[in-house]
Amino acid sequence: MFDSTSYDGLFVDGDWIATREQRTTAVTNPATATVIGSVPEGDPADLDVAVAAARRAFDEGPWPRLSARERARLLHRFADVLDAHRKELAAIITAESGALPALVEGTHFGIGFGRFRHAVDLAATQLDSVTPLRTGPGSVLGATALVYKPRGVAGLITPFNFPLYLNLCKLGPALAMGNTVVLKPSPLTPLEGLVLGAAAAEAGLPPGVVNVVTGGVAVGEALVADPRVDLISFTGSSRVGSDIMALAARSLTPVVLELGGKSALIVREDAAVADAANLAYNSFTLHAGQGCVLLTRHVVHRRLVGDFLDALAERAAHTVVGDPTDPATTMGPLISETQRGRVADYVAIGAAEGGEIVTGGEPVERPGYFFAPTVIHGVTPKARVAQEEIFGPVAVVLPFDTDDEAVAIANDSRFGLSGGVVGADAGKAWEIARRLNTGSVRINGGGTALDADAPVTGWGASGIGAEHGLPGLLEFAQPQSIAFRVR
């Protein structure tokens, strides 16, 4: 099952089951626009069966009552099973999502497996605590224990851009805390969801602990609206996140939402232009710009703008846009023709708003869904291309004269997911970073690796709640205080 591009069933209650309607969905390689396989297309009735299985596994099964260390042993085995099939998985990820091999190895495997295992190990530490003993009225001696209980059934909904990575980042904390899950992957990248069912079976996870149901909007809505589901964790667009929040409110179901971004990179007057341009270019072209945390607004000191634009244009001229399986390729495809059309529409909007297309601005004519790296200059910070998430390889360069103006431009956004500051004066860069209304900031590119202990949070339209680290782990837990007396 680990090298399969076609599946005959959904993974529910520890087994592969046929869908009620027996419909299928084609899986398309975005680099070639050819069909590479098919998966069953689930519907709300199939989702109902999966939720029932997860509910039963939580209420009656052993999973939530195992010790954290026992769950950790099984979950590390689950990760080991996936890791043993790394070569087959890498081929599926590239074929299904268009990710370059370096991105597969670094993000899906390196960071994804790392954060999965980190959450598992963190949950296996002693999270519970007891207050100091105190004497109360009547000489009663007692204390209060704080314990963390699993919430129950977690509904996980993931997007197309980093499927395996995001699936692992949600499964790790959800399962490690003792929840059972129903995963609904994107209909554009279902293989990286269904393969987790195969891994759960091989690793020996109890039936019903992991369930995977494919399908479209109707399946997602049924999952969110189901009162048997105790938590929804969603990564995707702000528009869909808003719809999920409204639907979940009917059952008062808690939500964790990691949503869109329009993140700003501030390039101070004392920055090295070449270094800043490299950082900027690598961010907005990563995975063809399909990432919510990517830096797509480049807020550059006016004295540096000309050299900065020249450096971006030079990088664009040397970019090899093509099939990720070609070792020469440095940027792959967008996920679909629909997404490519969306990017083209935004570039046209930017031009209509008075923007100069410095480089790119049009699709790459070859089979697949490719778009040239594009830089737009000359629009105001209020322009749509400077305010709305495009989700493609498009950056907007916005000049500033003072640090205060740079901060104001960066904060003039409904989003607040990530950000960056580049400058030689580390103290000034730190001061600017502290003033940015965003969940995370990297100064001069940040550290050499992502810190698994650091949570990802969003301001405004970028989300609710936390992912990763201890805060992300505890989103999947319900704190309970138990007061007791000493007799």
Side-chain angles (χ1 to χ4, degrees), residues 80-211:
D80 290 342
V81 168
L82 289 171
D83 204 18
H85 297 278
R86 183 177 289 222
K87 181 178 180 181
E88 304 98 296
L89 282 175
I92 288 174
I93 295 168
T94 293
E96 184 179 43
S97 69
L100 268 63
L103 192 62
V104 174
E105 187 63 31
T107 300
H108 289 273
F109 293 152
I111 303 175
F113 276 65
R115 285 188 163 167
F116 179 93
R117 293 187 188 275
H118 181 267
V120 170
D121 289 338
L122 189 58
T125 63
Q126 185 54 50
L127 297 176
D128 299 342
S129 60
V130 180
T131 63
L133 287 169
R134 300 171 190 236
T135 302
S139 297
V140 173
L141 182 64
T144 300
L146 175 63
V147 300
Y148 292 97
K149 298 167 60 68
R151 287 184 178 270
V153 176
L156 313 178
I157 305 175
T158 53
F160 64 79
N161 54 338
F162 292 92
L164 184 67
Y165 162 75
L166 290 168
N167 290 339
L168 289 173
C169 287
K170 291 185 186 297
L171 281 175
L175 295 174
M177 290 306 297
N179 302 278
T180 59
V181 304
V182 178
L183 169 67
K184 195 205 89 66
S186 166
L188 296 172
T189 51
L191 299 176
E192 292 161 73
L194 290 168
V195 73
L196 299 176
E202 186 171 329
L205 269 60
V209 170
V210 173
N211 305 275

Side-chain angles (χ1 to χ4, degrees), residues 181-255:
V181 304
V182 178
L183 169 67
K184 195 205 89 66
S186 166
L188 296 172
T189 51
L191 299 176
E192 292 161 73
L194 290 168
V195 73
L196 299 176
E202 186 171 329
L205 269 60
V209 170
V210 173
N211 305 275
V212 185
V213 180
T214 58
V217 173
V219 173
E221 290 178 343
L223 180 59
V224 174
D226 197 313
R228 297 169 295 177
V229 175
D230 300 292
L231 172 74
I232 293 293
S233 177
F234 168 77
T235 298
S237 73
S238 300
R239 178 186 59 79
V240 176
S242 177
D243 292 341
I244 285 174
M245 191 172 182
L247 190 56
R250 298 178 187 177
S251 301
L252 296 178
T253 303
V255 296

Side-chain angles (χ1 to χ4, degrees), residues 24-49:
T24 60
T25 299
V27 180
T28 300
N29 182 334
T32 61
T34 58
V35 173
I36 59 173
S38 65
V39 299
E41 181 181 337
D43 65 14
D46 301 311
L47 188 280
D48 179 76
V49 176

Side-chain angles (χ1 to χ4, degrees), residues 311-374:
L312 290 184
E314 182 180 0
R315 287 293 307 271
H318 290 89
T319 300
V320 180
V321 180
D323 192 320
T325 60
D326 184 345
T329 294
T330 58
M331 192 181 85
L334 295 164
I335 192 65
S336 67
E337 183 59 44
T338 298
Q339 187 61 24
R340 183 165 69 169
R342 171 186 168 88
V343 173
D345 288 345
Y346 266 108
V347 172
I349 289 169
E353 292 176 313
E356 172 196 358
I357 310 303
V358 177
T359 185
E362 56 190 18
V364 176
E365 295 303 326
R366 56 170 293 157
Y369 313 125
F370 299 92
F371 202 92
T374 300

Side-chain angles (χ1 to χ4, degrees), residues 10-17 49-50 52-54 56-57 206-212:
L10 308 174
F11 189 75
V12 174
D13 208 14
D15 202 359
W16 299 96
I17 66 169
V49 176
R56 189 166 53 250
V209 170
V210 173
N211 305 275
V212 185

